[in-house]
Amino acid sequence: MTDPQDPYLIISSDCHAGLPTEEYRPYLDSRFHREFDEFLAGRDRRREEATRLGIRNEAFADKWFSDNEEGLRGGWDVAQRLKELDSDGVAAEVVFPDADAVDSQTAAPFGVGLGLSGDQDPELGMAGAQAHNRWLAEFVSQNPERHCGVALLPITAEPDKVVAEIHRAKESGLGALMIPSMWVDHPPYHDPRYEPIWAAAAETQMPLVTHSGAAPRHEYGDHLGIYVSEVTWWPARPLHFLIWSGVFERHPGLKFGVAESGCWWLPNLLWFMDRLYLGAHGGKKLSPFSALKRPPSEYLDRQVFICATNTKRRELAQRYEIGVDNILWGSDFPHPEGTWPNTRTWLKNTFHDIPVAETRRMLGLAAAEVFGFDTDKLASIARRIGPTPADLGQPEDQAAVEASWARSREVGRHWLTGNDFPTMGVTAP
Amino acid sequence: MTDPQDPYLIISSDCHAGLPTEEYRPYLDSRFHREFDEFLAGRDRRREEATRLGIRNEAFADKWFSDNEEGLRGGWDVAQRLKELDSDGVAAEVVFPDADAVDSQTAAPFGVGLGLSGDQDPELGMAGAQAHNRWLAEFVSQNPERHCGVALLPITAEPDKVVAEIHRAKESGLGALMIPSMWVDHPPYHDPRYEPIWAAAAETQMPLVTHSGAAPRHEYGDHLGIYVSEVTWWPARPLHFLIWSGVFERHPGLKFGVAESGCWWLPNLLWFMDRLYLGAHGGKKLSPFSALKRPPSEYLDRQVFICATNTKRRELAQRYEIGVDNILWGSDFPHPEGTWPNTRTWLKNTFHDIPVAETRRMLGLAAAEVFGFDTDKLASIARRIGPTPADLGQPEDQAAVEASWARSREVGRHWLTGNDFPTMGVTAP
């Protein structure tokens, strides 16, 4: 990629795949088939619950399924999936569970998909996760260069079994691990019981990821607004626990990410944490933060990434505080809140005045590093399907674009660069 | 206040007062004296717990108490308190509990101070709250024009009793109501059981306030950083529940505030909530947000305020998104994390380039409206003790200052003004 007008290598850091639920049966240990039948029998009740909270809108669902019937089969059909990725210009993808976000017809067994939660029955949870993980390994093996499969990891189960599943998943060809956002009544993520798990994830180079979905719904009544307002906080919350308990200091090879929760909250969090850490180290001999050897933002840049999905303009304006390399774009295929099947238009509307070099990082190169994609193998696909900077409305002469963001980039994280506050957005040249 | 160089009328929206704990005995119903003795006996254990989490630093505590011995008596001694307020330039104040944030020597009975929590024993909780409320009413009655006393309100108790305590507190001369940030295992704040309470607060014109302090500490182990990173989220959380369940729509006279939790999180929250609401109303006939008749930011401007305490420069740079009138400054007297006894210097460092007219709102006039202070009665005190704009380093000719913020003010809440992102901070004229 030496010509600045080369097509983009686009990697979606947040896509979804999953079998129609009943088809998971052959991937599930047969001793759990009776429980699986009970789980299948409860589907209607769960759909009713979703409708009650207003997550499911009947009219919207009907239109969505009739408009996109063919493409939605890409949720579990590889050939159809590649067609959809190609038409969106997406060369590769990170594959989370639950293809069907509208009707939950592709829920992994026993609720271990995006609803993965720390209080799941440990045995059933691991069985359901393994069923999905086995299928997913098969699914991604057909074009391994284009998919990074995310194994489901019920991390609150017996640590030995969790570590074994990490190695099993790695050997089967999966590339990342989704852990629950919420530990519920199990030990929080600062607990030493998780140390062997962090070590195994680092050793196998499998990034850990939380994904939005779980939240304390029992508190929300019928109020969808409360759920949506909080559902991005819970997946980011483990960061507080991992950073302050020194997990990133003890496991420098561990990578951790937060998916489909935006990245708008990160500047405030970094500002808040860094000031707390640096303030304590400024005047006092004994710091209450002895588990850390550097400011939280340094661990973040070294080991944390954000699968920010369909990044908003407000977030891009804050990218010098977030860290350009920490923002991993995603299409959320095949979910309706994502950019599919209009990704090309969406990219143009969103990135037209962003420097090309930074766009390349956010749209693909940063994700390639985090998830270990082979960019050489993807280069020819990108050349074939990727939109060019011109397609995104980005001017060939980048000097004015770069200049318009210069002050914002220079100020960056203002608390580290001696500025009182950020300079957000473009300034007149 | 017609001369632009007049001294500021400063109202601290976040101060603290409380008796040395054992002195609450005469204010407590005698039938709870036995439980009170047990509570007193547990103080050492609680202090040890605080030390374990690193909230209490022995060396810091010794220096703080020896440096400020005289002034700290202002936590419960009216004459000393007025002296401290005067020297800080503070004409009036909103009085929360727990004067001693370092050693908890002035904790209200049964833990109902800043740790007020939804799972307190309802009978003991109300008894402890009433003891503090009775003392506080006496305390503020000596100079009612300078203090707004905040009654403690254990809102998860029997609703009839809660409503009765609102009226009792109002009649006793108190002016606001502190409710728990966390309902724990009690009904969340969207529950209809609270309706008579919201109605009574609106009827008596007593603003409801949460204050930072409570958090799920049992999850944090020994990690102070986790506590500090989350302790501002829990007091703001009730906003999600009140806004989306339509409490502000049904009770237009109700005011709600969040104290000592910063205001840096508010722009993101408003952006997120407004987009959710406006997006749902854009294309669909049936909105899942039928409890609301206007975007969340309109309720916020009408009924919500932030006791932002010692506002940070980063927050002031975002004030056109937050809403200048929603930011209520506070000194946090007599807590060590506040600006006392160096408020004058602190104000100069923080407000020097902020327009005078906006500074007047944030330092006092907005708080006067929310808490019902009589600015006529405070005028002579302000003239005697208040710093002038010149004392804050603010230029007499405000034209250049106003111009430097013009673009930022014009863009304001960018999602409502047709801009892609905020313009934060000053721009060259």
Side-chain angles (χ1 to χ4, degrees):
Chain A
M1 297 272 179
T2 46
D3 183 339
Q5 289 306 305
D6 270 350
Y8 280 106
L9 165 56
I10 300 187
I11 299 175
S12 167
S13 72
D14 181 27
C15 286
H16 298 270
L19 274 178
T21 303
E22 59 279 8
E23 297 182 27
Y24 276 110
R25 184 183 299 270
Y27 298 93
L28 185 67
D29 281 351
S30 57
R31 62 196 166 110
F32 297 105
H33 281 183
R34 193 178 53 77
E35 284 91 345
F36 188 56
D37 290 334
E38 286 164 15
F39 174 76
L40 288 173
R43 277 193 298 183
D44 289 346
R45 179 183 45 76
R46 287 192 295 278
R47 198 162 95 162
E48 270 163 36
E49 273 173 19
T51 308
R52 185 180 63 85
L53 190 57
I55 291 172
R56 190 178 186 288
N57 174 314
E58 204 72 42
F60 172 79
D62 289 348
K63 181 163 164 48
W64 174 252
F65 287 113
S66 74
D67 284 357
N68 300 290
E69 192 183 353
E70 189 176 279
L72 286 171
R73 277 207 308 276
W76 57 91
D77 176 312
V78 172
Q80 186 66 42
R81 190 174 190 90
L82 292 183
K83 199 172 144 191
E84 302 303 326
L85 294 178
D86 285 1
S87 76
D88 254 3
V90 175
E93 57 162 357
V94 178
V95 189
F96 287 90
D98 285 347
D100 176 8
V102 176
D103 257 359
S104 296
Q105 298 292 330
T106 62
F110 311 128
V112 294
L114 294 181
L116 187 68
S117 178
D119 62 347
Q120 253 135 357
D121 176 276
E123 210 180 10
L124 283 184
M126 189 60 86
Q130 288 184 336
H132 177 78
N133 296 348
R134 286 178 190 125
W135 168 75
L136 184 63
E138 261 182 42
F139 188 73
V140 301
S141 69
Q142 301 175 55
N143 300 276
E145 73 282 3
R146 294 192 72 172
H147 315 283
C148 172
V150 181
L152 302 176
L153 194 68
I155 200 176
T156 54
E158 184 60 43
D160 286 354
K161 291 182 180 160
V162 177
V163 168
E165 181 60 14
I166 293 175
H167 288 286
R168 206 197 59 71
K170 176 74 178 184
E171 282 154 27
S172 77
L174 299 179
L177 304 159
M178 188 179 109
I179 64 171
S181 301
M182 304 175 70
W183 42 84
V184 196
D185 51 353
H186 286 248
Y189 292 167
H190 62 67
D191 197 281
R193 86 189 295 276
Y194 299 109
E195 286 296 309
I197 299 170
W198 310 142
E203 182 197 334
T204 56
Q205 297 185 295
M206 301 268 271
L208 293 169
V209 200
T210 55
H211 190 293
S212 62
R217 295 193 190 200
H218 65 280
E219 295 189 89
Y220 299 156
D222 295 341
H223 304 288
L224 176 64
I226 307 177
Y227 173 71
V228 181
S229 298
E230 301 203 339
V231 74
T232 58
W233 187 80
W234 296 98
R237 190 185 188 208
L239 266 182
H240 312 167
F241 288 71
L242 298 175
I243 285 180
W244 291 116
S245 66
V247 168
F248 294 122
E249 175 61 36
R250 289 191 299 281
H251 304 279
L254 180 69
K255 285 185 184 166
F256 176 80
V258 182
E260 206 177 346
S261 304
C263 55
W264 45 268
W265 44 271
L266 194 56
N268 280 334
L269 187 70
L270 289 180
W271 168 73
F272 195 89
M273 286 185 165
D274 273 1
R275 281 171 54 251
L276 180 60
Y277 178 86
L278 295 168
H281 278 257
K284 292 167 200 165
K285 279 181 186 158
L286 280 174
S287 164
F289 310 121
S290 55
L292 279 64
K293 297 211 171 119
R294 55 196 77 210
S297 64
E298 289 192 28
Y299 293 107
L300 189 113
D301 286 344
R302 193 174 77 178
Q303 296 175 250
V304 176
F305 57 93
I306 311 293
C307 300
T309 316
N310 51 349
T311 45
K312 305 297 184 291
R313 292 278 291 163
R314 181 181 171 92
E315 297 176 312
L316 292 182
Q318 299 179 79
R319 68 193 180 280
Y320 300 117
E321 286 197 302
I322 297 168
V324 171
D325 270 351
N326 299 325
I327 302 174
L328 279 52
W329 176 86
S331 70
D332 204 18
F333 170 79
H335 287 183
E337 65 271 34
T339 63
W340 175 79
N342 306 306
T343 296
R344 288 170 196 271
T345 308
W346 186 94
L347 287 173
K348 181 173 180 173
N349 291 341
T350 307
F351 284 91
H352 57 89
D353 62 353
I354 308 293
V356 169
E358 297 178 2
T359 307
R360 289 201 189 279
R361 300 292 309 167
M362 292 186 279
L363 289 188
L365 299 184
E369 286 170 19
V370 166
F371 292 101
F373 287 97
D374 186 333
T375 53
D376 289 338
K377 286 189 183 163
L378 293 172
S380 64
I381 300 171
R383 268 195 300 276
R384 177 170 59 82
I385 64 167
T388 63
D391 292 336
L392 268 51
Q394 295 171 322
E396 193 168 339
D397 181 355
Q398 286 278 296
V401 175
E402 293 279 357
S404 73
W405 294 96
R407 178 66 189 151
S408 183
R409 185 167 52 236
E410 186 182 292
V411 172
R413 292 178 183 150
H414 64 90
W415 60 97
L416 300 175
T417 60
N419 289 277
D420 279 356
F421 36 75
T423 297
M424 194 183 289
V426 296
T427 51
Chain B
M1 296 272 179
T2 47
D3 183 339
Q5 289 305 304
D6 270 351
Y8 279 107
L9 165 56
I10 300 187
I11 299 175
S12 167
S13 72
D14 181 27
C15 286
H16 297 271
L19 274 178
T21 304
E22 59 279 8
E23 296 182 29
Y24 276 110
R25 184 182 300 269
Y27 298 93
L28 186 67
D29 281 351
S30 56
R31 64 197 165 108
F32 297 106
H33 281 183
R34 194 176 54 78
E35 284 92 343
F36 188 55
D37 289 333
E38 287 164 16
F39 174 75
L40 289 173
R43 277 193 298 184
D44 289 346
R45 180 183 46 75
R46 288 192 295 277
R47 198 162 97 163
E48 270 164 34
E49 274 173 18
T51 309
R52 184 178 63 85
L53 190 57
I55 291 172
R56 191 178 186 287
N57 174 315
E58 203 72 42
F60 172 79
D62 289 348
K63 183 164 162 47
W64 173 253
F65 287 114
S66 74
D67 285 358
N68 300 290
E69 193 183 353
E70 191 176 279
L72 287 170
R73 279 206 308 274
W76 56 90
D77 175 311
V78 172
Q80 186 66 41
R81 189 173 190 91
L82 293 183
K83 201 172 142 190
E84 302 302 327
L85 293 178
D86 285 1
S87 76
D88 254 5
V90 175
E93 57 161 358
V94 179
V95 188
F96 286 91
D98 285 346
D100 176 8
V102 176
D103 257 359
S104 297
Q105 298 293 330
T106 62
F110 311 128
V112 293
L114 294 180
L116 187 69
S117 178
D119 62 347
Q120 255 135 355
D121 176 276
E123 208 180 12
L124 283 184
M126 190 59 87
Q130 288 184 336
H132 177 79
N133 296 347
R134 286 179 192 127
W135 168 75
L136 184 63
E138 259 182 44
F139 188 73
V140 301
S141 70
Q142 300 175 55
N143 301 275
E145 73 282 3
R146 294 192 71 174
H147 315 283
C148 171
V150 181
L152 301 176
L153 194 68
I155 200 176
T156 54
E158 183 60 42
D160 286 354
K161 290 183 181 162
V162 177
V163 168
E165 182 59 13
I166 292 175
H167 289 286
R168 207 198 59 71
K170 175 73 177 185
E171 282 154 27
S172 77
L174 299 179
L177 304 159
M178 188 179 109
I179 65 171
S181 300
M182 303 174 70
W183 43 85
V184 195
D185 51 355
H186 286 248
Y189 291 167
H190 62 67
D191 197 281
R193 86 190 295 277
Y194 298 109
E195 286 294 311
I197 299 170
W198 311 140
E203 182 197 334
T204 56
Q205 296 185 295
M206 302 268 272
L208 293 169
V209 199
T210 55
H211 190 291
S212 62
R217 295 193 189 200
H218 65 280
E219 294 189 89
Y220 299 156
D222 294 341
H223 304 289
L224 176 65
I226 307 177
Y227 172 71
V228 180
S229 298
E230 300 202 339
V231 74
T232 58
W233 187 79
W234 295 99
R237 190 186 189 208
L239 266 181
H240 312 166
F241 289 71
L242 297 175
I243 285 179
W244 290 116
S245 66
V247 168
F248 295 123
E249 174 62 35
R250 290 191 299 281
H251 303 278
L254 181 69
K255 286 186 182 164
F256 176 80
V258 182
E260 206 176 345
S261 303
C263 54
W264 44 268
W265 44 270
L266 194 57
N268 281 334
L269 187 70
L270 289 180
W271 169 73
F272 195 89
M273 285 184 166
D274 273 1
R275 278 171 55 252
L276 181 60
Y277 178 86
L278 295 168
H281 277 258
K284 294 168 199 164
K285 279 182 188 159
L286 279 175
S287 164
F289 310 121
S290 55
L292 278 65
K293 297 208 172 120
R294 55 196 78 211
S297 64
E298 288 192 29
Y299 294 107
L300 189 113
D301 286 343
R302 191 174 78 179
Q303 296 175 250
V304 176
F305 57 94
I306 310 293
C307 300
T309 315
N310 51 348
T311 45
K312 304 297 183 292
R313 293 278 291 164
R314 180 181 171 93
E315 296 175 314
L316 292 181
Q318 299 179 79
R319 68 191 180 281
Y320 300 117
E321 287 196 301
I322 298 168
V324 171
D325 271 351
N326 300 325
I327 302 173
L328 280 50
W329 175 87
S331 70
D332 204 17
F333 171 77
H335 287 182
E337 64 271 32
T339 63
W340 176 79
N342 307 306
T343 296
R344 289 170 196 271
T345 307
W346 186 94
L347 288 174
K348 182 174 180 172
N349 291 341
T350 308
F351 284 91
H352 58 89
D353 62 353
I354 308 293
V356 169
E358 296 177 2
T359 308
R360 289 201 189 280
R361 301 292 309 167
M362 291 187 278
L363 290 187
L365 299 184
E369 286 169 19
V370 167
F371 292 102
F373 286 98
D374 185 333
T375 53
D376 289 337
K377 286 188 182 164
L378 292 172
S380 64
I381 299 171
R383 270 195 300 276
R384 177 169 60 82
I385 64 168
T388 63
D391 292 336
L392 266 52
Q394 295 171 322
E396 194 168 337
D397 181 355
Q398 286 279 296
V401 176
E402 293 278 358
S404 73
W405 294 98
R407 178 65 190 151
S408 183
R409 185 168 51 236
E410 187 182 293
V411 172
R413 291 178 183 150
H414 63 90
W415 60 96
L416 300 175
T417 60
N419 289 277
D420 279 356
F421 35 75
T423 298
M424 195 184 288
V426 296
T427 50

